[in-house]
Amino acid sequence: SRFAGVKPIIGMDMPYNYRNKVQTVFRLNQRKQIISGVYQSSSGNVVSVDDCMLENIQSQKIVAEIKKLMKSFKIYPYDARQDRGTIRHVMVRCGKTTGQIMVCIVTPTAMFPSRNNFVKALRKLHPEITTVVINVNDRHTNMVLGERDIVLYGKGYIEDVLCGIKYRISPQSFYQINPVQTERLYKKAISLAGLTGK
């Protein structure tokens, strides 16, 4: 504040469950149960997360169902140390204004046993899913996505509208994760810029 006036923070009315992108990693825990969550800081360990106050609620429900389907289809999380297993990560993206939902399943190879039946079962539980994509990541890193996408259902992307402009969002796209505050931020920047068209 010595250098410039500090303005009040423009906060959210409801600062919960706003994330339009949810990424989760899958592992077997010590009891050989499938868990999903996030990497622990500075380690390769996974912290199980079933409920998060920042993540889109629908996305969390879809991840929970994927975990159950993995068990019933006998599909196991990928283990990098042993180089075996099928699912590394799942990313769910939701269009705030369109309601479109993408499920991106990250696998170490394009081979996914019973993948069509798996997708059919998932869509039966969640018919609101508009596209399902496999992303192949064969690298031995904690990077979530690889470079190759295989569309299993739908168009392979979702759409959303931000500040009146329609965006097409693929698994690889960068898109702000908080659409409500992004729109407020952009509108504020535009008003302060005093743009005249010249």
Side-chain angles (χ1 to χ4, degrees):
S1 61
R2 285 193 299 134
F3 302 103
V6 177
K7 304 288 185 185
I9 292 170
I10 304 171
M12 292 184 77
D13 300 326
M14 285 293 293
Y16 305 105
N17 305 112
Y18 59 81
R19 281 189 70 105
N20 57 18
K21 180 173 88 167
V22 171
Q23 286 179 178
T24 188
V25 59
F26 286 81
R27 286 287 186 274
L28 287 178
N29 66 12
Q30 291 175 339
R31 291 177 285 166
K32 303 294 181 195
Q33 297 168 317
I34 298 170
I35 62 167
S36 64
V38 295
Y39 287 112
Q40 184 181 23
S41 178
S42 305
S43 83
N45 298 330
V46 173
V47 178
S48 180
V49 177
D50 293 322
D51 184 33
C52 175
M53 292 170 68
L54 303 183
E55 295 175 349
N56 177 286
I57 292 169
Q58 196 63 17
S59 298
Q60 292 181 72
K61 289 177 181 176
I62 290 169
V63 169
E65 291 295 348
I66 288 173
K67 229 183 325 188
K68 290 178 191 171
L69 286 174
M70 285 172 70
K71 189 176 178 184
S72 64
F73 276 79
K74 293 184 171 49
I75 293 172
Y76 297 97
Y78 178 69
D79 184 334
R81 290 183 199 116
Q82 298 182 32
D83 195 24
R84 68 179 188 206
T86 303
I87 296 182
R88 294 178 72 138
H89 300 87
V90 167
M91 177 174 68
V92 183
R93 301 187 90 149
C94 301
K96 172 85 174 155
T97 58
T98 62
Q100 296 176 15
I101 297 176
M102 170 198 298
V103 174
C104 179
I105 302 168
V106 183
T107 60
T109 70
M111 299 300 292
F112 185 135
S114 305
R115 66 188 194 183
N116 291 336
N117 289 333
F118 188 89
V119 169
K120 210 176 283 183
L122 180 60
R123 287 207 63 258
K124 189 174 182 183
L125 294 165
H126 289 281
E128 68 276 15
I129 294 171
T130 52
T131 192
V132 180
V133 178
I134 282 182
N135 174 270
V136 181
N137 182 355
D138 56 5
R139 293 172 295 183
H140 294 285
T141 68
N142 285 348
M143 292 292 292
V144 174
L145 296 178
E147 295 176 7
R148 184 175 167 209
D149 293 327
I150 302 166
V151 179
L152 298 183
Y153 174 80
K155 296 178 178 178
Y157 61 86
I158 60 170
E159 293 176 326
D160 201 17
V161 178
L162 190 66
C163 295
I165 298 169
K166 187 184 281 186
Y167 291 87
R168 182 182 290 183
I169 306 157
S170 74
Q172 312 282 347
S173 298
F174 172 79
Y175 190 66
Q176 294 286 357
I177 58 166
N178 186 336
V180 174
Q181 288 298 85
T182 298
E183 208 161 64
R184 284 183 172 180
L185 175 66
Y186 289 178
K187 285 177 178 174
K188 190 68 178 172
I190 289 165
S191 76
L192 291 173
L195 302 173
T196 64
K198 297 180 181 178

